[in-house]
């Protein structure tokens, strides 16, 4: 069976539309399983939802299936046109990889096409030259990336795995040598340590995503506390409708602002309360949707009243699950400085939206929280792209299997395979280490020679 | 058969130079293929000599010996019949990495092998020193000897071991020879160089031998053999006449010969002391290794005692194994004490070891330095890329070990005869067995130290359990004439039986209520029960059934992975493929490809410095090349 390969056919970056090309045996399966398109007519376009293997909808996409007789490569192929947001294309690519596709090597589509007799030799040859050029380019790129902190981290992980494997292999290949008992416990501890490091990198991947898109900051709170006023104050112009009557904002409003080096989408939502009218209900429903997608909350309360009314439980939960800044608005009218009764309470700041007081302080606090999320300035600041994220996850899975099986008494000669596989994932990111490298360590560390 | 001297018109099919472990297998394999073979050795008394330790097999190596047997070689039988102690290694680990090993009677091993050669049809044995090659138009036509006459052959297999430009070292004293007291092969090296074959230098060493009755064994730990020996050869598939060919057909009974599979001897264990280490440290300056008199690279897995003491200075003691060299001699091999310190220091070192206080050295330890020909100059068939019809096998290819040598001899022998008989070559790929890994590693990656097999070198070692060698190579038997038809038939039936029984055990339930297969995976061996008729199966079938069930999930995963290698492996690169003219390939890549001349796309992808994008490009041009040459012939 040959692999099914995928690639982004449109340039990376923001654009209206992005096209992901898939070529290989499981193209049709993907149309069926990810796009619920059971029997696509070849060369017909279908508007469908793209769902991950977990059932989550990623985007509304247009797919076109080409059977092997009619495709560019001569293999079954599928084209997915999705929205041009890099995040969406990356998520779809990631899901395709989960479904056992593999990212195409430079020129691989053309190679398939040539091998299947779809294009002639001069065409293939010109592609070969392009591959060669791209190869140099990507090598140069890889070398530049190699200097990064992430590579240092991955290199050290690769080295650690090699060390562990050297120890395991020494005990397998030199059973009669005078080696210390294989320290299973020590090996497990080490693998666990590597697992932790990889998990930290995955967290970093999440943070990296925040850097490639806007950070969503949602204003939330009871009606009439001054959310829209704050929104406007931050946006710098009167965008939201402000009214002394509660329930003024029924839709949600977005506005992009820049704080520090970060782009933020500020979202003003409807105040939360037991809605009377149908139309308000819809607004509140939307507020909840927005709140779920928030990266960060600005929780606005009225500081001129002693005990604000509690938010519905659903909201309290959401607020507690994400980074939140408590904003005590209308401090010009009174400063009761209420603190929520959970621990640790969110950071709080007093402002007056209409009096434009405390806004600088608020922005500073906001930036601090964002930096915290992205890990800026910390020693764990790595940029982990989606391609790396997938590989790191695979690596992590292998190590987890190693731990699990090893604990269940599966032999070293078998669990060692997981270390080899984990290494392969690292190899893709930072260059190949061979069995010879492992043996170098083995003979360096262990006194072999019966 | 008469010896055909100086007769270029009636050449032998195959001339094998050297009758060590590689040469013997090469000559036997070639004659079994139907070739008319001449085997030349400098000394008939050193046929199949174990120059170093008196044992066959061990981790990675034992599996190779089983594979040699499965491919029709002699080493397994020869070891089984001359073994004096059997031991299965790694029994505390899984079956996949268990390996048989046997202490053998050195002299018995040699005599039996010699007698096998003497009886082998189509094989002529002759004592002569080869001192040159006859090469015409980059094709080898025969060899010259030191007696002044020549032998002509359609193909020549060179298995000169450590004898090329060899020197032995004991302290400062240096003498010529590939083994203490032996000659060296002069002249050949310059012939190789003349024909463009590069040579390099390696070194290896061997420990002192002691007289047994001067050793005090009291108080030393005893190492006995297994009560239920694991033999190398496969007996369930052979008819009786195939089993004991020498034992039944020999003209004179060998005195002291014994029953197959018996444990006649014990080994002993002792260790170095702080006195030993001080002695070594104080006299390091006298070791040619440290003085720089030896330039060749030595094997890291078999370091000299001075290396161990220096490099692992934190260890205050190293193990020393005492192994008898045979049942008709009291010479003992001191495993772990390889050295090239001067003889007087060797004596003191020996005396510093418990049990050896009064021991007498009867053969000193020494190091040997020799030429080898980097094996990247070879095809997978072990034929030279530079001189046609010239094959290389064994230590001359930069390997170490009797088993590695034997395996190469077998492959070179089969291929030399097939070339002479104008048949296509015989190759074993790295996803098929340890021998495949060995040859692929040698020809693709080359060597940086004397190469020894390790199970970790095989990507898919779970598939290479020693018991499965016959089954793994079954498809080869169909195409290549490696066995008698009856053995082939037996193996085929056994494999069928393995599959049937896996099915039976997976579907039927034991008295405990779970399937037999489930039981195999979950309960300890002692509690296992089987259907009555299972017990009557041949042992090899039983073991393979249990192995495949135990490792079921993992084997599936490995088989898929191995198949992936195979796809690229099936993509053949013609030997005349013009890399240099390909636009788009990097210069570094072209150089490597030209040097190694990979025979498949898969092999190309394993060459260091050739990356996936290069393979893509190569793939495209290969298609074109194949298409054009096909169009030409239409
Ligand atoms: N004194 C004072 N009044 C404020 C302040 N912020 C807002 N207000 C007033 O409070 C009233 C409600 O303000 P909005 O900004 O519409 O409140 P909201 O939270 O968006 O209300 P809904 O959209 O209905 O949920 C308006 O009359 C504002 O002028 C403040 O800091 N000080
Ligand atoms: Mg509002």
């Amino acid at each position: 069976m040959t692999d099914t390969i995928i690639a982004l056919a449109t340039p990376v970056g923001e654009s209206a539309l992005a096209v992901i090309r898939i070529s290989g045996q499981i193209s049709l399966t993907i149309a069926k399983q990810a796009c619920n398109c059971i029997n696509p007519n070849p060369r017909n376009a279908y508007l469908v939802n793209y769902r991950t293997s977990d059932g989550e909808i990623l985007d509304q996409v247009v797919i076109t299936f080409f059977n092997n007789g009619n495709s560019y490569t001569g293999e079954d192929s599928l084209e997915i046109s999705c929205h041009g947001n890099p995040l969406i294309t990356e998520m779809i690519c990631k899901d395709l990889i989960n479904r056992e596709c593999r990212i195409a090597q430079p020129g691989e589509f053309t190679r398939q096409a040539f091998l299947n007799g779809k294009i002639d030799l001069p065409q293939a040859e010109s592609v070969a030259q392009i591959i060669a050029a791209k190869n140099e380019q990507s090598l140069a790129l890889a070398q530049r990336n190699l200097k990064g902190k992430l590579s240092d981290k991955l290199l050290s992980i690769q080295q650690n795995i090699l060390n562990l494997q050297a120890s395991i292999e020494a005990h397998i290949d030199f059973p009669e040598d005078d080696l210390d008992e294989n320290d299973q416990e020590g090996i497990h501890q080490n693998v666990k340590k590597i697992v932790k490091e990889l998990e930290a990198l995955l967290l970093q991947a999440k943070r990296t995503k925040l850097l490639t898109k806007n950070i969503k900051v949602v204003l939330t709170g009871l009606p009439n506390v001054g959310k829209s006023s704050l929104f406007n104050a931050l946006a710098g112009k009167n965008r939201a409708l402000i009214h002394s009557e509660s329930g003024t904002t029924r839709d949600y409003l977005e506005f992009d602002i820049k704080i520090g080096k970060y782009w933020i989408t500020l979202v003003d939502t409807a105040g939360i309360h037991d809605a009377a009218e149908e139309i308000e209900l819809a607004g509140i429903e939307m507020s909840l949707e927005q709140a779920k997608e928030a990266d960060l909350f600005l929780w606005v309360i009225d500081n001129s009243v002693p005990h604000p009314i509690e938010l519905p439980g659903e909201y309290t939960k959401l607020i507690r699950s994400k980074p939140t800044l408590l904003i005590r608005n209308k401090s010009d009218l009174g400063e009761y400085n209420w603190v929520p009764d959970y621990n640790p309470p969110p950071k709080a700041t007093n402002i007056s939206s209409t009096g434009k007081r405390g806004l600088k302080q608020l922005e500073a606090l906001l930036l601090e929280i964002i930096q915290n999320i992205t890990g800026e300035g910390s020693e764990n600041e790595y940029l982990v792209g989606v391609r790396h994220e997938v590989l790191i996850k695979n690596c992590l899975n292998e190590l987890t299997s190693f731990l699990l099986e090893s604990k269940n008494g599966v032999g070293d000669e078998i669990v060692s395979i997981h270390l080899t596989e984990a290494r392969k994932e690292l190899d893709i990111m930072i260059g190949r280490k061979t069995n010879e490298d492992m043996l170098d360590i083995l003979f360096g560390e262990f006194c072999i020679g019966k | 058969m008469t010896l055909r001297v100086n007769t270029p018109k009636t050449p032998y099919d195959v001339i094998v130079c050297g009758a060590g472990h590689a040469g013997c297998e090469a000559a036997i394999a070639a004659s079994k293929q139907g070739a008319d073979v001449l085997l030349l050795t400098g000394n008939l008394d050193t046929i199949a000599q174990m120059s170093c330790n008196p044992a066959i097999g061990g981790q990675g190596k034992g599996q190779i010996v089983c594979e040699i047997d499965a491919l029709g070689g002699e080493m397994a039988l020869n070891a089984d019949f001359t073994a004096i102690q059997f031991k299965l290694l790694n029994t505390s680990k899984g079956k996949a990495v268990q390996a048989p090993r046997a202490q053998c009677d050195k002299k018995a091993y040699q005599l039996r092998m010699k007698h096998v050669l003497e009886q082998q049809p189509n094989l002529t044995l002759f004592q002569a020193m080869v001192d040159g090659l006859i090469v015409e138009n980059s094709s080898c036509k025969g060899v010259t000897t030191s007696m002044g006459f020549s032998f002509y052959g359609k193909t020549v297999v060179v298995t000169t071991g450590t004898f090329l430009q060899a020197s032995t070292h004991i302290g400062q004293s240096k003498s010529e020879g590939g083994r203490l007291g032996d000659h060296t092969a002069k002249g050949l090296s310059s012939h190789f160089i003349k024909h463009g074959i590069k040579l390099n230098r390696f070194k290896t060493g061997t420990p002192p031998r002691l007289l047994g009755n001067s050793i005090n064994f009291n108080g030393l730990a005893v190492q006995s053999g297994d009560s239920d020996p694991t033999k190398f050869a496969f007996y369930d598939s052979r008819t009786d006449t195939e089993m004991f060919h020498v034992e039944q057909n020999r003209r004179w009974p060998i005195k002291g010969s014994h029953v197959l599979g018996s444990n006649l001897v014990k080994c002993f264990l002792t260790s170095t002391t702080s006195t030993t280490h001080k002695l070594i440290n104080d006299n390091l300056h006298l070791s040619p290794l440290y003085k720089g008199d030896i330039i060749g690279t030595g094997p890291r897995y078999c370091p000299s005692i001075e290396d161990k003491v220096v490099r692992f200075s934190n260890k205050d003691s190293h193990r020393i194994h005492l192994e008898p060299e045979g049942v008709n001699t009291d010479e003992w091999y001191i495993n772990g004490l390889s050295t090239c310190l001067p003889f007087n220091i060797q004596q003191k070192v020996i005396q510093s070891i418990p049990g050896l206080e009064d021991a007498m050295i009867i053969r000193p330890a020494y190091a040997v330095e020799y030429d080898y020909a980097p094996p990247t100059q070879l095809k997978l068939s072990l034929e030279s890329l530079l001189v046609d019809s010239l094959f290389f096998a064994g230590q001359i290819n930069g390997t170490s070990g009797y088993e590695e040598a034997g395996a190469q001899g077998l492959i070179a022998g089969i291929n030399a005869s097939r070339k002479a008989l104008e048949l296509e070559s015989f190759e074993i790929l790295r996803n098929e067995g340890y021998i495949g890994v060995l040859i692929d590693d040698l020809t693709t990656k080359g060597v940086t130290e004397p190469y020894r097999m390790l199970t970790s070198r095989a990507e898919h070692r779970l598939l290479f359990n020693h018991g499965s060698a016959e089954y793994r190579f079954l498809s080869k038997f169909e195409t290549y004439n490696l066995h008698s038809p009856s053995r082939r038939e037996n193996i085929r039936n056994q494999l069928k039986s393995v599959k049937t029984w896996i099915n039976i055990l997976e579907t039927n339930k034991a008295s405990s209520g779970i399937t037999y297969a489930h039981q195999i995976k979950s309960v300890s061996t002692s509690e296992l029960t089987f259907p009555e008729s299972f017990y009557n199966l041949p042992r090899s079938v039983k073991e393979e059934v249990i192995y495949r069930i135990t490792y079921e999930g993992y084997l599936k995963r490995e088989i898929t992975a191995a198949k992936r290698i195979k796809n690229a492996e099936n993509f053949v690169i013609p030997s005349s493929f013009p890399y240099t003219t390909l636009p788009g390939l990097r210069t570094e890549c072209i150089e490597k490809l030209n040097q190694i001349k990979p025979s498949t796309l898969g092999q190309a992808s394993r060459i260091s410095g050739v990356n996936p994008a290069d393979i893509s490009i190569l793939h495209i041009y290969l298609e074109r090349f194949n298409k054009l040459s096909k169009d030409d012939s239409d």
Side-chain angles (χ1 to χ4, degrees):
Chain A
M1 197 191 78
T2 52
D3 294 349
T4 296
I5 54 173
I6 59 168
L8 199 57
T10 42
V12 188
E14 293 277 356
S15 58
L17 206 74
V19 177
I20 297 167
R21 216 190 260 164
I22 305 168
S23 170
Q25 273 172 3
I26 62 172
S27 300
L28 190 58
T29 318
I30 288 167
K32 284 179 186 163
Q33 291 179 356
C35 307
N36 200 23
C37 193
I38 306 302
N39 238 329
N41 276 328
R43 300 177 152 238
N44 280 16
Y46 295 88
L47 180 68
V48 294
N49 282 329
Y50 187 99
R51 280 173 201 272
T52 65
S53 339
D54 306 331
E56 189 193 341
I57 296 181
L58 290 183
D59 195 13
Q60 199 173 46
V61 300
V62 175
I63 63 164
T64 317
F65 174 71
F66 301 87
N67 59 342
N68 52 18
N70 282 319
S71 69
Y72 170 69
T73 56
E75 309 264 331
D76 277 357
S77 302
L78 189 70
E79 275 185 14
I80 302 180
S81 313
C82 58
H83 291 102
N85 178 334
L87 187 67
I88 291 176
T89 54
E90 287 200 357
M91 302 261 274
I92 293 179
C93 285
K94 202 167 120 184
D95 180 66
L96 288 169
I97 292 166
N98 278 341
R99 295 178 190 268
E100 312 230 304
C101 296
R102 135 175 109 61
I103 304 258
Q105 286 157 11
E108 205 175 359
F109 281 89
T110 308
R111 176 167 139 205
Q112 275 191 357
F114 174 73
L115 296 182
N116 288 322
K118 286 283 166 180
I119 56 169
D120 63 8
L121 199 73
Q123 279 173 295
E125 274 182 329
S126 66
V127 170
Q129 318 245 350
I130 295 171
I131 301 173
K134 273 203 184 152
N135 180 26
E136 293 292 333
Q137 247 173 40
S138 64
L139 274 182
L141 194 72
Q143 249 136 36
R144 232 177 298 144
N145 284 347
L146 256 182
K147 294 193 182 117
K149 269 180 158 186
L150 175 64
S151 300
D152 288 349
K153 186 82 212 166
L154 292 173
L155 279 170
S156 98
I157 290 175
Q158 188 183 41
Q159 193 61 40
N160 283 340
I161 296 179
L162 268 182
N163 289 342
L164 292 173
Q165 211 171 13
S167 153
I168 290 175
E169 294 300 332
H171 287 84
I172 291 175
D173 269 336
F174 299 95
E176 291 190 302
D177 274 84
D178 181 19
L179 306 174
D180 294 335
E181 273 289 292
N182 201 4
D183 176 15
Q184 290 285 354
E185 192 45 41
I187 288 177
H188 287 182
Q189 288 308 331
N190 271 316
V191 174
K192 278 187 200 151
K193 211 182 110 220
I194 299 172
V195 163
K196 283 231 174 70
E197 290 174 330
L198 289 171
E199 280 169 347
L201 288 180
L202 283 183
L203 190 70
Q204 210 50 50
K206 261 192 200 154
R207 292 169 170 172
T208 304
K209 261 184 221 149
L210 289 180
L211 298 180
T212 55
K213 62 155 202 166
N214 285 6
I215 298 167
K216 189 164 190 153
V217 176
V218 173
L219 290 145
T220 193
L222 296 170
N224 213 31
V225 292
K227 297 183 294 297
S228 300
S229 305
L230 175 59
F231 180 86
N232 285 339
L234 288 173
K237 47 183 162 169
N238 289 345
R239 280 190 52 108
L241 209 58
I242 304 169
H243 208 279
S244 55
E245 208 173 291
S246 68
T248 306
T249 307
R250 296 184 177 175
D251 202 348
Y252 68 88
L253 268 180
E254 288 186 350
F255 193 75
D256 291 351
I257 60 169
K258 201 173 180 195
I259 290 189
K261 61 178 184 184
Y262 299 99
W263 274 102
I264 287 171
T265 299
L266 208 56
V267 185
D268 183 25
T269 61
I272 305 148
H273 69 123
D274 301 328
E277 285 174 55
E278 189 79 356
I279 184 151
E280 270 184 292
L281 256 180
I284 292 168
E285 187 65 30
M286 265 190 274
S287 303
L288 190 62
E289 286 281 304
Q290 290 297 312
K292 280 183 182 159
E293 289 170 19
D295 296 314
L296 195 160
F297 286 117
L298 295 182
W299 177 16
V300 187
I301 60 166
D302 184 345
N303 209 11
S304 64
V305 294
H307 296 291
I309 310 164
E310 289 285 330
L311 289 170
E314 204 171 352
Y315 272 87
T316 320
K317 240 198 221 153
L318 266 174
I319 286 174
R320 288 184 64 174
S321 72
K322 294 182 183 181
T324 299
L325 181 59
L326 180 66
I327 295 177
R328 304 192 187 107
N329 192 27
K330 305 195 185 178
S331 294
D332 53 321
L333 298 182
E335 294 196 303
Y336 281 94
N337 292 347
W338 176 79
V339 180
D341 60 358
Y342 59 81
N343 252 325
K347 277 208 171 117
T349 183
N350 294 1
I351 66 159
S352 164
S353 304
T354 46
K356 305 244 186 297
R357 197 154 62 76
L359 289 177
K360 280 260 137 29
Q361 167 81 2
L362 185 155
E363 283 188 21
L365 278 171
L366 189 57
L367 182 60
E368 213 173 272
I369 294 176
I370 291 170
Q371 284 170 334
N372 214 342
I373 301 176
T374 60
E376 183 189 325
S378 75
E379 64 173 301
N380 289 324
E381 186 190 6
Y382 305 110
L383 291 181
V384 183
V386 169
R387 195 177 81 95
H388 282 61
E389 188 187 355
V390 174
L391 297 169
I392 290 171
K393 244 188 206 154
N394 293 346
C395 186
L396 191 66
N397 286 343
E398 293 293 344
L399 294 182
T400 320
S401 306
F402 173 93
L403 282 175
L404 197 79
E405 290 177 14
S406 181
K407 284 223 174 89
N408 287 338
V410 177
D412 281 351
E413 72 280 8
I414 294 171
V415 293
S416 170
I417 296 174
H418 293 301
L419 296 185
T420 309
E421 292 297 319
R423 266 172 46 201
K424 277 188 197 157
E425 305 292 335
L426 293 164
D427 287 354
I428 297 172
M429 295 185 269
I430 46 176
R432 192 159 64 146
K433 284 266 191 271
T434 61
N435 198 55
E436 288 309 308
D437 295 307
M438 189 278 290
L439 292 178
D440 283 345
I441 300 175
L442 192 157
F443 290 121
E445 294 283 315
F446 297 91
C447 183
I448 301 294
K450 178 193 147 176
Chain B
M1 217 171 289
T2 51
L3 199 65
R4 303 201 294 274
V5 178
N6 294 331
T7 52
K9 290 269 159 16
T10 52
Y12 286 93
D13 287 326
V14 178
I15 298 176
V16 179
C17 312
H21 304 282
C24 290
E25 292 295 346
I28 294 167
S31 60
K32 279 190 179 171
Q33 287 284 311
D36 175 15
V37 180
L38 172 67
L39 174 57
L40 298 173
T41 168
N43 185 351
L44 276 178
D45 292 334
T46 56
I47 286 176
Q49 174 146 349
M50 299 197 215
S51 314
C52 202
N53 63 330
I56 296 281
Q59 192 52 286
K61 295 160 171 276
Q63 290 94 327
I64 288 184
V65 180
C66 295
E67 290 183 6
I68 291 178
D69 187 66
L71 294 169
E74 187 62 31
M75 181 173 264
L77 284 175
N78 211 56
D80 281 350
F81 279 95
T82 58
I84 48 181
Q85 187 193 83
F86 288 90
K87 193 157 193 165
L88 186 63
L89 302 185
N90 255 345
T91 45
S92 65
K93 297 205 168 63
K95 278 248 189 284
V97 288
Q98 291 180 2
R101 193 197 54 207
Q103 300 296 135
C104 291
D105 184 307
K106 271 193 179 177
K107 277 285 169 256
Y109 189 94
Q110 286 186 270
L111 286 178
R112 187 185 179 281
M113 188 62 93
K114 182 169 176 238
H115 207 27
V116 170
L117 296 170
E118 289 163 350
Q119 293 187 10
Q120 183 64 32
N122 305 333
L123 194 156
T124 307
L125 187 60
F126 187 67
Q127 175 166 316
M129 270 294 280
V130 171
D131 62 1
L133 298 173
I134 304 168
V135 176
E136 288 166 19
N137 301 326
S138 295
S139 177
C140 192
K141 303 283 184 207
V143 296
T144 58
T145 67
S146 59
M147 285 180 279
F149 50 77
S150 309
F151 292 101
Y152 288 85
K154 291 180 185 163
T155 59
V156 171
V157 185
V158 181
T159 67
T160 48
T162 61
F163 279 69
L164 274 191
Q165 296 284 84
S167 56
T168 54
H169 299 252
I170 305 173
Q172 323 296 45
S173 109
K174 176 179 170 181
S175 45
E176 284 185 347
R179 197 163 37 213
L180 206 59
D182 261 308
H183 62 274
T184 173
K186 281 190 211 155
L188 263 181
S189 283
S190 61
H191 274 246
F192 289 138
I193 292 166
K194 191 169 111 199
H195 297 295
I197 295 168
K198 290 201 183 71
L199 299 176
N200 258 330
R201 252 164 128 67
F202 271 165
K203 79 114 202 170
T204 187
T206 191
R209 313 298 201 272
L210 306 183
L211 185 64
N213 69 20
S214 68
I215 300 175
N216 179 9
F217 292 108
N218 288 334
L220 298 187
V222 178
Q223 299 188 302
S224 340
D226 298 336
S227 53
D228 180 18
T230 306
K231 285 164 249 149
F232 295 103
F234 294 92
Y235 296 95
D236 293 331
S237 57
R238 288 180 154 96
T239 58
D240 283 356
T241 47
E242 281 180 291
M243 261 192 259
F244 309 110
H245 51 287
V246 179
E247 284 62 27
Q248 290 178 336
N249 302 340
R250 68 181 172 226
R251 294 186 57 201
W252 321 105
I254 297 172
K255 257 200 188 157
S257 68
H258 58 274
V259 187
L260 170 66
S262 54
N263 287 304
L264 300 180
V265 299
K266 294 189 181 85
C267 298
F268 294 86
L269 186 65
T270 179
S271 55
T272 58
T273 60
S274 54
T275 321
T276 321
H277 294 203
K278 186 171 183 317
L279 260 168
I280 289 168
N281 278 321
D282 289 349
N283 292 287
L284 265 187
H285 58 285
L286 300 174
S287 167
L289 285 179
Y290 284 82
K291 275 189 66 209
D293 290 348
I294 294 183
I295 48 163
T297 319
R300 288 177 297 178
Y301 46 82
C302 194
S304 63
I305 187 69
E306 44 268 46
D307 250 1
K308 285 195 264 189
V309 168
V310 171
R311 289 188 41 228
F312 296 93
S313 55
N314 58 331
K315 286 194 91 156
D316 41 24
S317 174
H318 296 280
R319 273 190 204 171
I320 303 294
H321 300 254
L322 310 180
E323 304 171 2
E325 296 230 333
V327 288
N328 292 321
T329 173
D330 201 16
E331 187 171 346
W332 285 67
Y333 180 89
I334 313 306
N335 202 337
L337 212 64
S338 151
T339 180
C340 43
L341 286 165
F343 181 67
N344 61 330
I345 311 292
Q346 288 184 24
Q347 269 178 318
K348 287 185 191 154
V349 165
I350 286 290
Q351 285 158 7
S352 72
I353 294 171
L356 310 184
E357 294 87 351
D358 300 316
M360 254 166 55
I361 298 179
I362 55 176
R363 210 189 283 254
Y366 63 93
V368 53
E369 212 184 0
Y370 56 96
D371 282 353
Y372 73 97
T376 46
Q377 306 172 92
L378 301 173
K379 302 177 188 171
L380 284 182
S381 63
L382 297 182
E383 186 180 9
S384 168
L385 288 167
L386 299 146
V387 179
D388 215 42
S389 300
L390 179 65
F391 293 75
F392 287 85
Q395 251 171 315
I396 189 171
N397 288 339
T399 61
S400 88
Y402 317 137
E403 304 80 0
E404 288 85 348
Q408 293 170 67
L410 178 81
I411 301 298
I414 293 175
N415 277 312
S417 60
R418 292 185 72 85
K419 173 129 192 173
L421 304 172
E422 295 178 13
L423 298 167
E424 89 278 22
S425 68
F426 172 79
E427 287 163 8
I428 297 193
L429 304 181
R430 69 181 297 124
N431 59 348
E432 295 175 322
Y434 281 105
I435 296 183
V437 173
L438 167 72
I439 290 180
D440 188 68
D441 275 353
L442 292 177
T443 56
T444 310
K445 300 176 187 161
V447 293
T448 49
E449 69 182 319
Y451 180 102
R452 181 218 142 125
M453 184 46 71
L454 301 165
T455 67
S456 68
R457 296 194 196 272
E459 291 82 351
H460 307 298
R461 67 179 164 205
L462 291 192
L463 302 176
F464 300 165
N465 56 317
H466 65 88
S468 69
E470 275 188 328
Y471 304 134
R472 268 185 279 138
F473 295 134
L474 185 58
S475 63
K476 303 268 176 204
F477 311 151
E478 315 281 349
T479 339
Y480 305 93
N481 185 27
L482 303 172
H483 293 315
S484 68
S486 74
R487 185 172 173 198
R488 206 180 307 158
E489 191 55 31
N490 285 339
I491 298 172
R492 202 177 295 132
N493 287 334
Q494 282 179 18
L495 184 58
K496 256 191 219 141
S497 166
V498 167
K499 290 179 178 162
T500 317
W501 271 100
I502 290 176
N503 206 351
I504 295 174
L505 297 184
E506 275 173 349
T507 44
N508 292 324
K509 288 186 174 138
S511 54
S512 59
I514 55 173
T515 62
Y516 290 104
H518 191 168
Q519 221 177 37
I520 290 173
K521 290 184 198 169
S522 52
V523 304
S524 70
T525 329
S526 56
E527 295 166 47
L528 281 182
T529 57
F530 293 98
E532 208 42 50
S533 46
F534 184 80
Y535 294 101
N536 302 327
L537 291 171
R539 180 172 174 164
S540 58
V541 173
K542 277 187 282 195
E543 289 190 347
E544 184 65 8
V545 167
I546 295 175
Y547 183 80
R548 291 194 186 186
I549 289 177
T550 315
Y551 286 96
E552 191 215 350
Y554 301 101
L555 291 179
K556 267 198 193 126
R557 180 175 165 165
E558 292 291 277
I559 287 170
T560 330
K563 272 204 189 118
R564 207 165 281 156
I565 299 188
K566 198 157 186 175
N567 283 338
E569 229 56 66
N570 284 341
F571 207 107
V572 176
I573 305 179
S575 55
S576 56
F577 192 66
Y579 298 104
T580 323
T581 61
L582 302 189
L585 276 189
R586 292 167 306 118
T587 329
E588 181 204 349
C589 172
I590 294 174
E591 274 168 13
K592 280 274 168 67
L593 289 167
N594 263 329
Q595 187 209 335
I596 311 244
K597 292 217 169 28
S599 57
T600 65
L601 202 59
Q603 201 193 353
S605 69
R606 285 188 293 278
I607 298 172
S608 71
V610 176
N611 59 37
D614 297 324
I615 295 297
S616 282
I617 297 170
L618 199 57
H619 197 165
I620 290 178
Y621 287 113
L622 269 172
E623 281 290 338
R624 167 180 123 177
F625 186 87
N626 289 344
K627 200 160 165 278
L628 288 182
S629 38
K630 203 171 136 251
D631 292 348
D632 279 355
S633 58
D634 281 350

